[in-house]
Amino acid sequence: MAALGTAALICALLTALYACGSAVVGVRTGRPALVVSARRAMLCIAGLCALSVVILESAYLRSDFSIALVAQNSSHSTPLFYKLTAMWSSQPGSLLLWAFLLSVYSSIALYATRQKLREIVPWATAVLAFITAFFLTLMVFFASPFHTLANVPVDGNGLSPLLRNPAMLIHPPMLYTGYVGFSIPFAFAVGSLITRRTGAEWIRATRRYALLAWMFLGCGILLGALWSYSELGWGGYWAWDPVENASLMPWLFGTAFLHSAMVQERRGMLRTWNVSLVMGSFILALVGTFLVRSGILNSIHAFGASTLGVPFVGFIALCTLGSVALVVSRRESLRSPHRLDSLISREAIFLLNNLVLVGMCFVIFWGTFFPLISEALTGTKASVGPPWFNRYTVPLALVLVLLTAIGPMLAWRRTTPARLVRVLRWPLGVALAATALLVVATPAAQSIPSLIMFGGVALVLAAVGREFARGARARRAGTGEAWPVATLRLVATNRRRYGGYLVHVGISLLFLGIAASSAFVSQRDVRLRPGQTARVGNSTVTYRRADVHLFNDPSGTGAALSFGAVLDVRRGGRHIVLRPAHNLYAANAPGEGTFGRFFDGESTSEVGLRWGLTANTWTAIQPDLSILAKPVALADAKFAGAPPRFQAAILNAMAQMYLVRAPAATFRVIVFPFVTWIWLGGLMLLLGALIAFRRPPRKRREPARAPSRRPSRERELAEVPA
Amino acid sequence: MTVVLALLALSALVALVVSGPLTRGAALQAEAEADDRRAELEAAKEAKYRELADAQLDYKLGKVSVADHQATERELQAQAVQILRELDDLR
């Protein structure tokens, strides 16, 4: 099967090269048959990549350790759920996922535009085929997923324990679907520049792909944060880690593009800006993919060093230089025929929001690559931490949330100052009242940036609420529908607008969760014996008893040993029980003792967590296993050759010994207020994006018209529904 | 050897799929010329209608003055009529 997989990848590479050449020759010589053939070739690549994915996944499921990748990232004892996800934990598997997703995306996009943009599409096809060919080249020549081993091991190394988390099943595919999705608008932007057709046509054709990529990337980032929060055991969801930052940067660019694209669609403005944003999003997506695999920057997420540094950096440089050269050479075609009518208009707010988003991205880029920059300039690798990032991103986020509120209240083209005051009056009143209430009734005033953020969030919610209410009222006035029906139909007929507003609500809730959980967190590291109690914030935590599981990990990760605790947490008359654990995974290296290997392998923290709308209680344990050091050494010396059942009995005796003696353990206890709202906001964001993604309902079919009979254009225009 | 055989088999399948359009080049050429402009104009028409609907909604929500709305609507309608004229000319 490995041979078939290898053949499929080679065939896909040859097909991609053909598609690239065929599309260019087709458009150059005016032979559409060649362009159609290139489109079909992309479909074939999708099929060949799908075949490769199926072959590799089936090798994981069958524990076929003759394939090196399977031996490196799976084992007989790896739970089935994690065997399926092991593919993207490796570099070649990730590349295969990239190529597969790209070929599927490309096939769909090219099929959907088969009767549109005939000048641009062939170039877009060539660009997409070229990108696919690059990833296939990496797999065929540098990092084959189907590399086989001469000596097949009896068992594999198993999946990294850190990746054994349900969020990891969908986090990488989501992230990659987001990264890959930006290839489509990038390819069409390149096509529009080459053909000098820089109007809004390419944006209309690819806007939904950009939205889809943005949505998937956003979900991937939030799932990554969830994984960090519930798996890594350090007690947070965002650490400004290089790989986290690398995923955030294209998302910020994508957010900017989705706003400025509307300005180009409606006003024909910001053409240079839009192609630059799309190109920036794609190049940053490539950088993100490279960072997660390369290990050039220290990251908790970089799973292994890469052998692909030179080709990847070369490709990123080629895309960057090519994009810049193309934009500069087409600057005349990119000149907009229109100018901004007023600074009090929706497009002006969009422009400001773009500047803030790009500014934020620049700050993150600088902070992320500062270690490399400092090393190049001074020879010393210096890095910046979360306080540095927060110093610059927090003020920008505050401006952003205010723009999020004001944008929807303004009209396109111009709004007079008097109208601005009128539309702002009510939401501003609500925001000020909410802020005053927070100052009086809560400790929110202890953190001024958080207080401003809470006020901004109240302004967004009030502004969006007002938009929905007024929209439904206007609809009711014309139709007499009931409020819920009028609201639903209002959304259904204006999906982009109201879906976008829901995204604004989601973002503001997300900001609320970040501000509250960062500024008002209560955290303590305590060392407790069973029966002892500690106070953290307004919660009391009691270590009730120790808990040990042998070959029966409650979290289902396949850990050999799990040393945990049962904690009683009381807050405000409520009682909850939490069970944090410290999982140990047997080492597979030769030279480890028969029993020692169970304690010297990798370990993970299984967090004891209770979700709540007002606060989450988060606990992690670091057990003191020193009492088992002597028994383990003794068992290694005396019972190394004992039969497996006897070995299991000895391990069980050690576990019982830990339970009975129950030494003091170190606990990290954190009470995060309103942190759940980060992910609830994410769900709202997803809902809004899905609504905006769906096409509006089609107008009723126009009656067939004879060529000689001209329709009443006024009548047709009068049918445009508001 | 197995890789070469598999590669040959897969390549033959791919060649079969991608060579299909090459045999009907002239028909595709004619289709392309007829559909291209119409599809673009239809997309432009839909976009202009959406813009008009948006402008009307903004007006109903009290975000623009009557004078501003009328000016915008006139401009958008003129652009829409121009697109409809071009569509008619293609029919």
Side-chain angles (χ1 to χ4, degrees), chain B residues 44-67:
Chain B
K45 185 184 83 175
E46 290 300 321
K48 199 54 69 183
Y49 281 6
R50 270 200 302 275
E51 226 177 308
L52 262 167
D54 261 356
Q56 284 172 11
L57 189 55
D58 275 346
Y59 173 63
K60 283 181 185 172
L61 296 178
K63 292 180 187 174
V64 282
S65 65
V66 179

Side-chain angles (χ1 to χ4, degrees), chain A residues 218-534:
Chain A
C219 288
I221 292 170
L222 285 172
L223 282 169
L226 185 63
W227 169 71
S228 183
Y229 182 59
S230 59
E231 182 66 37
L232 290 184
W234 63 278
Y237 46 82
W238 192 264
W240 293 111
D241 178 89
V243 169
E244 291 172 350
N245 298 347
S247 62
L248 186 60
M249 287 188 283
W251 190 82
L252 290 173
F253 257 59
T255 311
F257 171 69
L258 288 172
H259 286 88
S260 61
M262 282 188 261
V263 180
Q264 185 171 345
E265 273 188 86
R266 283 179 167 76
R267 307 296 319 280
M269 293 154 59
L270 305 182
R271 293 180 183 195
T272 309
W273 183 250
N274 277 327
V275 289
S276 305
L277 282 179
V278 160
M279 289 169 162
S281 304
F282 173 69
I283 290 163
L284 287 170
L286 284 178
V287 171
T289 311
F290 174 56
L291 273 188
V292 82
R293 288 283 139 220
S294 66
I296 58 161
L297 291 168
N298 291 330
S299 165
I300 48 172
H301 299 75
F303 302 106
S306 172
T307 53
L308 305 177
V310 174
F312 231 114
V313 170
F315 187 66
I316 292 170
L318 177 71
C319 289
T320 309
L321 294 175
S323 299
V324 171
L326 204 51
V327 172
V328 171
S329 69
R330 298 298 191 264
R331 60 188 181 283
E332 284 303 319
S333 323
L334 287 166
R335 199 152 284 164
S336 169
H338 301 290
R339 291 279 175 276
L340 208 59
D341 286 351
S342 163
L343 285 176
I344 312 175
S345 62
R346 193 174 281 195
E347 48 267 50
I349 292 291
F350 280 5
L351 189 59
L352 262 178
N353 126 318
N354 267 235
L355 294 175
V356 172
L357 287 164
V358 172
M360 205 180 256
C361 191
F362 177 76
V363 166
I364 296 169
F365 188 88
W366 181 260
T368 304
F369 285 93
F370 188 72
L372 294 183
I373 297 165
S374 66
E375 193 176 25
L377 294 178
T378 65
T380 313
K381 209 172 197 172
S383 60
V384 294
W388 185 90
F389 284 100
N390 292 339
R391 192 184 313 149
Y392 298 103
T393 54
V394 167
L396 289 170
L398 291 175
V399 175
L400 196 61
V401 82
L402 289 177
L403 295 174
T404 306
I406 296 168
M409 290 190 275
L410 300 185
W412 290 99
R413 291 166 187 259
R414 72 181 70 84
T415 301
T416 58
R419 283 198 181 264
L420 177 66
V421 170
R422 197 190 299 171
V423 293
L424 264 176
R425 206 168 39 196
W426 190 80
L428 206 57
V430 170
L432 289 173
T435 309
L437 193 67
L438 286 171
V439 170
V440 173
T442 71
Q446 287 169 10
S447 165
I448 297 302
S450 297
L451 185 64
I452 298 172
M453 181 58 84
F454 298 147
V457 169
L459 186 63
V460 173
L461 297 180
V464 172
R466 179 186 179 279
E467 284 294 303
F468 272 88
R470 288 182 71 95
R473 195 170 67 189
R475 189 177 170 89
R476 266 168 57 82
T479 62
E481 291 164 346
W483 276 101
V485 177
T487 308
L488 285 174
R489 291 202 174 144
L490 176 77
V491 174
T493 48
N494 298 278
R495 286 183 177 150
R496 278 179 76 175
R497 179 186 285 232
Y498 288 97
Y501 290 171
L502 289 178
V503 171
H504 282 201
V505 171
I507 287 286
S508 66
L509 293 179
L510 194 147
F511 277 140
L512 168 79
I514 293 172
S517 63
S518 312
F520 303 100
V521 61
S522 307
Q523 175 175 337
R524 235 185 117 185
D525 289 346
V526 288
R527 191 168 169 81
L528 299 175
R529 286 185 171 281
Q532 289 184 324
T533 295

